Amino acid sequence: MSEAIMAAKKEAKRRKKKNQAPWGLVVLIFAIIVALLFLPQKNLAFSWVIGLSFGFVLQRASLCFLSGFSELIITGNTSLVRAIIIAIFIGSIGFAFLQYTTLTQTSVLIGYVGPVGVHTVVGALLFGLGMVIAGACSSGTIMRIGEGFLLQIVVLIGFMIGAFWGARDYGWWHDKFIAGAPAIHLPQVMGWPLAIFIQLAVLIFIYFALLKYEEKRF
Amino acid sequence: MKKNKLYSYGTVFGKVWPYWLGGILLGIINIFSLAFTGKPLRITSGFLYWAVGIYEFFGGKVADWYYFQDVYHKPVLQKSFFINDTSLLVIGAVTGALLSVFLASSFKVRKIKNPKQLIFALIGGIIMGYGTRIAMGCNIGAFLSGISSFSAHGWVFGLFMLVGVWLGVQIINKYQI
């Protein structure tokens, strides 16, 4: 389904319904109060505001990772995955700057650099499979709960059970796979200039390869 | 509502933004997250903390779990499982989505259609949740933020998540679920 049709449908639906903007205002005031409440703990206040904008953008642009991946496979539409590639591309540039400066100043590596190995493969496979079965990814779950979907509350409960279970088994996975797996931070392997160049080049390549693939499928 | 005016209320809050714009903003928000909170965007650790918080409420103990010996997860033991940076980020995201939906006047409680849907949602959620703990992240923490952090695990996660989705689609097609 094209974006235009989806947008038109939403628009038509919206017109039929009552104006809910006053409720939006209530939520906004609530959000501001919470932000002020946590202001003494700067980290919490920032996390709250960043979470707010994160959820807002996800919903406003209906960025659903599951739809992105499944459309890529089923219909060949890649516009969503390409948007995610853009997000990673922009993120990489900012992360490179922040990682480089903190690393040289404090020699602490910020960001998520995790051990890679069998556990990553198994976990990612499970995650992809579970996503299709549940019909939602983790950001999608959050966004849909905000939209009023009761089903995603069930997905959330499943998520909590699964994460609990996984954390309980973590020791086993750690002994068998994670302990021996290296955390590979690309700039520390090949140097900053090359790592940034290669990563951005690969992302650009994937972006245009997806465009080509889409043209072929349609 | 006025139509096709670039900065009118209707275009900004009533319509769906293009994906590419969402992508650009998502990238920027992730940078802000790392710059101002010291951590990139993430979600599922928040889900785990809530589950563990409930477990502890009913008398369970997790302090001796190997998982919480990890330098990254140990600090949460000193704080609350519900009031911490990750938890606030996730609750904030739900609130942000709610705000967006209200401003577009498209909030609606959508019921679960049938028991099958419910069971699939639960099982799928459990499988995903387990996967996130051993792979260290979900589509946001491991994939989006992992790759943005120049970590090899992010790339591997993205690739095999795609394979997982492909597998899932094949299974659903084959058994006509």
Side-chain angles (χ1 to χ4, degrees):
Chain A
M1 199 170 3
S2 84
E3 288 161 51
I5 297 172
M6 268 170 68
K9 267 192 175 169
K10 270 213 159 161
E11 183 78 355
K13 261 189 176 171
R14 189 184 57 77
R15 279 207 192 125
K16 263 189 278 169
K17 261 181 259 127
K18 272 195 292 183
N19 180 18
Q20 296 173 338
W23 283 107
L25 203 65
V26 173
V27 175
L28 191 63
I29 292 168
F30 166 76
I32 293 169
I33 293 173
V34 173
L36 293 176
L37 225 63
F38 284 112
L39 212 53
Q41 290 158 285
K42 236 177 57 198
N43 211 33
L44 296 184
F46 276 138
S47 296
W48 171 252
V49 173
I50 283 163
L52 284 171
S53 37
F54 177 39
F56 188 88
V57 166
L58 282 180
Q59 206 288 324
R60 208 77 293 269
S62 33
L63 284 183
C64 172
F65 283 62
L66 169 64
S67 307
F69 277 89
S70 55
E71 275 190 24
L72 172 76
I73 291 164
I74 299 169
T75 68
N77 185 338
T78 62
S79 50
L80 245 170
V81 184
R82 278 184 288 119
I84 295 164
I85 299 290
I86 294 175
I88 296 175
F89 185 89
I90 291 177
S92 299
I93 297 170
F95 276 39
F97 174 76
L98 293 167
Q99 282 185 329
Y100 180 79
T101 44
T102 46
L103 203 58
T104 46
Q105 281 164 11
T106 63
S107 66
V108 174
L109 177 61
I110 53 169
Y112 283 152
V113 181
V116 55
V118 178
H119 59 284
T120 319
V121 173
V122 177
L125 278 172
L126 286 176
F127 190 82
L129 187 67
M131 219 159 57
V132 178
I133 295 172
C137 52
S138 60
S139 50
T141 301
I142 285 177
M143 171 170 110
R144 301 278 177 239
I145 290 174
E147 290 175 0
F149 283 85
L150 297 179
L151 186 67
Q152 268 67 21
I153 294 178
V154 179
V155 179
L156 171 65
I157 295 169
F159 247 129
M160 286 165 62
I161 297 170
F164 184 85
W165 188 354
R168 238 185 127 245
D169 289 357
Y170 185 79
W172 186 86
W173 287 95
H174 188 271
D175 285 349
K176 287 273 185 297
F177 302 106
I178 301 170
I184 301 173
H185 183 232
L186 301 175
Q188 285 170 342
V189 176
M190 51 184 92
W192 280 99
L194 193 61
I196 294 172
F197 174 76
I198 289 182
Q199 171 139 325
L200 297 185
V202 168
L203 288 170
I204 292 171
F205 173 79
I206 293 174
Y207 186 94
F208 285 103
L210 286 169
L211 258 184
K212 257 259 151 5
Y213 166 81
E214 184 171 306
E215 277 168 23
K216 247 174 122 183
R217 289 280 302 255
F218 277 99
Chain B
M1 199 68 67
K2 275 168 271 170
K3 260 170 65 184
N4 298 330
K5 226 177 179 183
L6 195 53
Y7 296 111
S8 77
Y9 182 89
T11 1
V12 177
F13 297 115
K15 283 198 184 132
V16 180
W17 290 352
Y19 291 143
W20 58 264
L21 180 60
I24 292 173
L25 293 172
L26 185 60
I28 294 172
I29 292 168
N30 208 359
I31 297 172
F32 278 1
S33 179
L34 184 61
F36 294 111
T37 71
K39 290 179 193 171
L41 292 177
R42 62 216 176 270
I43 294 174
T44 22
S45 291
F47 296 163
L48 170 74
Y49 294 160
W50 301 342
V52 166
I54 294 169
Y55 180 65
E56 293 225 313
F57 179 80
F58 288 106
K61 284 276 168 285
V62 297
D64 58 335
W65 283 14
Y66 193 86
Y67 187 84
F68 287 103
Q69 309 312 311
D70 183 279
V71 275
Y72 187 79
H73 292 284
K74 205 167 183 157
V76 79
L77 292 178
Q78 318 300 323
K79 297 179 217 150
S80 153
F81 282 114
F82 296 101
I83 302 192
N84 54 66
D85 52 356
T86 305
S87 185
L88 275 166
L89 180 83
V90 178
I91 299 168
V94 177
T95 312
L98 184 68
L99 176 67
S100 165
V101 179
F102 274 148
L103 293 180
S105 296
S106 55
F107 181 85
K108 195 178 163 219
V109 174
R110 278 163 259 228
K111 296 197 182 107
I112 296 165
K113 287 181 197 130
N114 51 50
K116 196 178 99 181
Q117 213 188 15
L118 188 139
I119 290 166
F120 271 71
L122 192 66
I123 292 174
I126 293 174
I127 296 174
M128 275 192 285
Y130 194 95
T132 62
R133 287 315 94 191
I134 59 176
M136 329 227 155
C138 57
N139 58 314
I140 298 297
F143 176 58
L144 183 78
S145 298
I147 298 182
S148 300
S149 303
F150 294 86
S151 173
H153 92 294
W155 285 101
V156 173
F157 186 91
L159 180 66
F160 284 94
M161 174 169 64
L162 183 61
V163 177
V165 171
W166 181 83
L167 259 173
V169 170
Q170 305 309 312
I171 292 170
I172 297 238
N173 281 345
K174 188 165 179 191
Y175 297 101
Q176 301 290 320
I177 302 169

